[in-house]
Every structure is written in structure tokens, then in C-alpha cells.
């Protein structure tokens, strides 16, 4: 059975985020552990965590993915942004562990003001500093690919692999990968076609290892192939299209991944439509 889920809001409570996922028919889900617009947040409420765990068990929601906020840039050259990012990321690790999440997704950040290699090194050292003394069996940090716009790190698989290889020397944190379909397409990987998907999967196998890809952010793309445009679209309404997602969902090497939507909700019911679209495409031939 496919694991198909969606990013839900925890604005009211952690439990509510799980209940919303269940209401939409999902069997996995993703949340922000706190406001994505704030550097510092307090610890989660133990009572809320207990209710979340009960809801997850009752609804069969596995795994739980937490997405790091977008303020964090562990590769930053600016000393203030870097210091805040390290403290904030440690907070995300602590919250993920307390909540009982299986995965914490983080973007590799921007190397603006330095070389790509220096940016990768800064990210790895920042990650290691944030994780110093941290231990949470069952939690894995996932490096997410990017579109490669501006000075973004992580649009190429070799960059993600370099980060993981270096980080494993500096920290005991389990590290794997999250691949975003919109980001792949916008970075130049033609996953909309059968040949392009086959070539992309072969590259992933060679560079990253498919076993190390745990989550697939499943988003259509408003931008054209190689556009470097990070604009998510509803499933089937973008440039990847329904046929592209049907091949992705039904590919024998991808079926065991957790597919999580981060699609826009422009109108009421868009979230349900996208979950149902993935479920339908996973079944169809």
C-alpha cells in the first residue's frame, strides 16, 4: 500500500494536524513543528504531544515528517544569520524528538558570498554544531533537493551526496534524502516523461542510493523544465502532469517511498482533491 500524505497545519494543535490528515484520507503527513516565521519557539506541550501520538496510532499515520522553517540557513556566511540558524535548527531537532517524528527535512541553504564548496562546508559544520550532544533514536534528518536558483545548494545530486558524506564524519545524526518532484523538474530532470524518469532514477541510484531516499515531496510544477522556478502546482495542472505522476507513483523502485503533498490550497477542497488524485493515479494503469 502506498504511503500518501500531505502537509497539514498545526496552528490549532499538533493533534489537529493529525486529525486533518486522517480526514483527508492520508496515511502519512508533514507539519511545521512551530511557526515557520519565528527563530525561537518554546517546547511543545506534553499534553498536545500525547494527543498527537494517540491520533497517529488510531489513524495509522506513519511516518510523521517535520519540515524545518525557511529562515534556517546553515550555510550562511553572515555570522548573525548563521548563529541564529544553528540555534534554531537545534530547536527543530529537539522538537522533532519530543513529538516523535521519524523525519526532519531541511534545505541545504544558500552559499551567497562564498564558493559552493565553502557553502557546503559551512552547512556541514553548522549541522554538526547544532547536533552536538543530541541523540534521538528513530529520527533521521533528510536533505531536500532544490531548484538551484541563485546560490541555492542541492539542485545536483553530487552536492547532496557531498553534504551527507561530510556530515557523517562530523556527526552521528542519521542522514538521508527527501526529493521534491517540482524541484527536480525545475532543476532540469525531466520526470514528466518515461525516459526522463528512468534516467533520473538511474542517477539517483548511482549518486545517492534509492534506499537513502525516504520521502518524496509530490508537487506539480508551474515552471517549465529547467526553469529554476520553485512554484508548486496542483497535481495534474502543472508541467509534470497526471501521466508523469502516474509513472512516478507506480514505479516499482519508488512504491515504498512516502509521498507527501505540498500543493497550494487556493480553493476549499483543493487539499482533498490532491490527496485523492495521488491515490487514484497510484491505482490506475
Amino acid at each position: 500500500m502506498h504511503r500518501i500524505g500531505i502537509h497539514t497545519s498545526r496552528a490549532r494543535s499538533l493533534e489537529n494536524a493529525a486529525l486533518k490528515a486522517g480526514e483527508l484520507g492520508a496515511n502519512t503527513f508533514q507539519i511545521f513543528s512551530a511557526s515557520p516565521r519565528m527563530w525561537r519557539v518554546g517546547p511543545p506541550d506534553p499534553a498536545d504531544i500525547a494527543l498527537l501520538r494517540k491520533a497517529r496510532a488510531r489513524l495509522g499515520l506513519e511516518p510523521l515528517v517535520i519540515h524545518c522553517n525557511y529562515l534556517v540557513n546553515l550555510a550562511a556566511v553572515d555570522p548573525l544569520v548563521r548563529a541564529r540558524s544553528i540555534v534554531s535548527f537545534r530547536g527543530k531537532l529537539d522538537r522533532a524528538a519530543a513529538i516523535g517524528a521519524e523525519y526532519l527535512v531541511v534545505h541545504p541553504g544558500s552559499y551567497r558570498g562564498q564558493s559552493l564548496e565553502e557553502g557546503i562546508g559551512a552547512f556541514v559544520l553548522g549541522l554538526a554544531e547544532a547536533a552536538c550532544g543530541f541523540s534521538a533514536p528513530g529520527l533521521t534528518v533528510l536533505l531536500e533537493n532544490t531548484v538551484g536558483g541563485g546560490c541555492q545548494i542541492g539542485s545536483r545530486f553530487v552536492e547532496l551526496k557531498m553534504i551527507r558524506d561530510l556530515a557523517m564524519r562530523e556527526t552521528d545524526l542519521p542522514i538521508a534524502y527527501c526529493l521534491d518532484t517540482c524541484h527536480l523538474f525545475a532543476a532540469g530532470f525531466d520526470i514528466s516523461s518515461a525516459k526522463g524518469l528512468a534516467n533520473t532514477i538511474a542517477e539517483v541510484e548511482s549518486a545517492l542510493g534509492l534506499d537513502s531516499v525516504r520521502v518524496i515531496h509530490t508537487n506539480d510544477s508551474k515552471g517549465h523544465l529547467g526553469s529554476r522556478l520553485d512554484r508548486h502546482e496542483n497535481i495534474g495542472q502543472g508541467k509534470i502532469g497526471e501521466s508523469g505522476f502516474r509513472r512516478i507513483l507506480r514505479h516499482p523502485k519508488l512504491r515504498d517511498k512516502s509521498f507527501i503533498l505540498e500543493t497550494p490550497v487556493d480553493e476549499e477542497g483543493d487539499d482533498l482533491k490532491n490527496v485523492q488524485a495521488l491515490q487514484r493515479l497510484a491505482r490506475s494503469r
Side-chain angles (χ1 to χ4, degrees):
M1 181 177 64
H2 283 80
R3 308 303 298 183
I4 291 175
I6 191 168
H7 187 111
T8 59
S9 173
R10 43 103 23 230
R12 287 166 54 191
S13 69
L14 292 170
E15 180 195 27
N16 187 68
L19 295 177
K20 182 62 176 180
E23 177 187 319
L24 295 172
N27 55 13
T28 180
F29 70 124
Q30 175 178 279
I31 61 172
F32 291 119
S33 66
S35 171
R37 301 178 183 87
M38 295 177 61
W39 282 109
R40 288 181 177 272
V41 294
D45 178 14
D48 198 13
I49 293 174
L51 290 173
L52 168 68
R53 292 177 184 270
K54 289 180 181 178
R56 286 186 62 194
R58 177 166 56 84
L59 297 170
L61 294 169
E62 298 284 346
L64 167 57
V65 181
I66 290 180
H67 201 299
C68 196
N69 73 35
Y70 299 116
L71 296 174
V72 169
N73 179 14
L74 293 171
V77 69
D78 180 279
L80 180 59
V81 174
R82 179 170 179 78
R84 285 179 171 175
S85 295
I86 290 170
V87 171
S88 181
F89 187 69
R90 175 52 181 259
K92 301 297 179 294
L93 287 170
D94 290 336
R95 289 179 67 86
I99 290 169
E102 282 75 29
Y103 299 118
L104 174 62
V105 173
V106 62
H107 290 192
S110 169
Y111 65 91
R112 188 176 304 279
Q114 57 193 319
S115 69
L116 172 62
E117 291 75 15
E118 288 170 333
I120 288 175
F123 178 91
V124 169
L125 293 176
L127 182 75
E129 184 175 341
C132 183
F134 176 82
S135 177
L139 176 65
T140 299
V141 171
L142 301 184
L143 305 171
E144 181 175 353
N145 67 306
T146 66
V147 300
C151 296
Q152 287 182 343
I153 304 170
S155 65
R156 299 184 302 152
F157 298 146
V158 65
E159 295 169 19
L160 296 175
K161 184 178 188 302
M162 187 181 301
I163 291 172
R164 183 173 186 252
D165 287 350
L166 291 172
M168 290 177 70
R169 300 178 193 173
E170 301 293 332
T171 175
D172 293 329
L173 272 181
I175 300 173
Y177 307 104
C178 166
L179 296 182
D180 184 301
T181 56
C182 172
H183 298 175
L184 284 170
F185 191 76
F189 296 92
D190 187 11
I191 57 173
S192 67
S193 69
K195 182 178 179 181
L197 178 62
N199 289 340
T200 300
I201 290 175
E203 285 193 52
V204 172
E205 282 188 297
S206 175
L208 307 179
L210 271 173
D211 287 346
S212 294
V213 176
R214 307 295 175 80
V215 171
I216 297 179
H217 281 165
T218 316
N219 307 301
D220 214 329
S221 174
K222 289 182 182 289
H224 292 279
L225 178 66
S227 65
R228 306 292 182 183
L229 184 65
D230 188 359
R231 292 287 302 282
H232 298 182
E233 180 58 284
N234 293 308
I235 300 300
Q237 296 179 17
K239 306 303 181 184
I240 299 174
E242 282 205 353
S243 59
F245 283 104
R246 181 181 292 108
R247 280 189 289 269
I248 291 168
L249 288 158
R250 294 189 59 80
H251 197 287
K253 293 184 177 180
L254 302 179
R255 288 177 186 166
D256 65 337
K257 310 304 178 187
S258 295
F259 296 89
I260 294 184
L261 292 151
E262 298 174 316
T263 41
V265 182
D266 297 322
E267 298 180 8
E268 186 175 353
D270 279 351
D271 45 6
L272 178 61
K273 290 177 183 176
N274 280 300
V275 171
Q276 291 179 338
L278 290 190
Q279 292 170 337
R280 171 173 54 81
L281 292 171
R283 294 191 301 268
S284 63
R285 295 185 180 275

